[in-house]
Structure formats: C-alpha cells, structure tokens
Amino acid sequence: MMKSLSSSNRTAFDVVNIVAGLGLLVSPWLFGFATETYAAWNAWIVGAAITVFAAAALYAFYEVEEWGNLVLGLWTLVAPWVLGFSAVTTALWVHVIAGIVVAVLAAGNIWFTHNRPFSAA
C-alpha cells in the first residue's frame, strides 16, 4: 500500500491547485459575474491567494502552504452564503467547485505528508 505521497504526486496536487486558483481568478470575466461585487472580488482575491500558496508549495514544500490552501478552499466553499451571492448561480457553482477541489487536494497533501496509510478495512 502507498504509505506516503511521493514528491511527484504532491507536485501534481499543487499544479492542480494552481489551475483551480487561476480558474477562480479569471472566472468573473469568463463566466460574466464581474459586476457582482462580492462574488467577483472574492474570486479575484482568493483565486490569487490560492495560486500563490500552491506556487510557494511547488518552490519549497512546507505544510503551512497546504493548511493555507485548505482554509482558502473551505472559505471559497462557504463564501456564496456568507457574502450573500448564492443567488448568482454561476458564481455559486464556480466557488463551490473550486472550493471543493482546493480543499480536498490540500487535505490530501496534509494527510499523506504525515505518512498515514490508507485504511485496510
């Protein structure tokens, strides 16, 4: 069984997080919700932060970058309801999908960094 995540797999997780962060960053223009102030600004700021954290993890891996992306991913997931733009369907789904992807990959990186094996049950 795979006990730990190899550095090449960890790199792939970080590259996917960079893509998710960049996707969130450009999504207000790409999907046409740039006029929705809270949704657009949240996408721009959080997308840029996710990208920076993931790029920093590629440069020199420290667990703090993964914890940062985990928090940012969870924030992105709940932001439509907290900031009140859940009625904007496109912005809602962009944030939910990006939040899930970033949070799951960051949590996986944290989990496998500690050499926790897969469950055998």
Side-chain angles (χ1 to χ4, degrees), residues 23-117:
L24 186 61
L25 181 70
V26 300
S27 65
W29 298 296
L30 192 62
F31 295 112
F33 62 90
T35 58
E36 298 292 331
T37 306
Y38 293 125
W41 277 101
N42 188 69
W44 293 326
I45 293 168
V46 176
I50 289 169
T51 303
V52 167
F53 274 122
L58 277 177
Y59 178 70
F61 179 78
Y62 295 106
E63 195 173 324
V64 70
E65 290 103 349
E66 301 307 331
W67 281 103
N69 266 345
L70 177 62
V71 170
L72 288 170
L74 293 174
W75 166 254
T76 304
L77 184 62
V78 300
W81 295 277
V82 173
L83 297 177
F85 61 87
S86 61
V88 183
T89 308
T90 306
L92 167 77
W93 285 109
V94 165
H95 279 80
V96 167
I97 292 168
I100 289 171
V101 167
V102 171
V104 165
L105 291 177
N109 256 341
I110 293 167
W111 180 263
F112 291 122
T113 298
H114 291 282
N115 293 324
R116 295 193 173 104

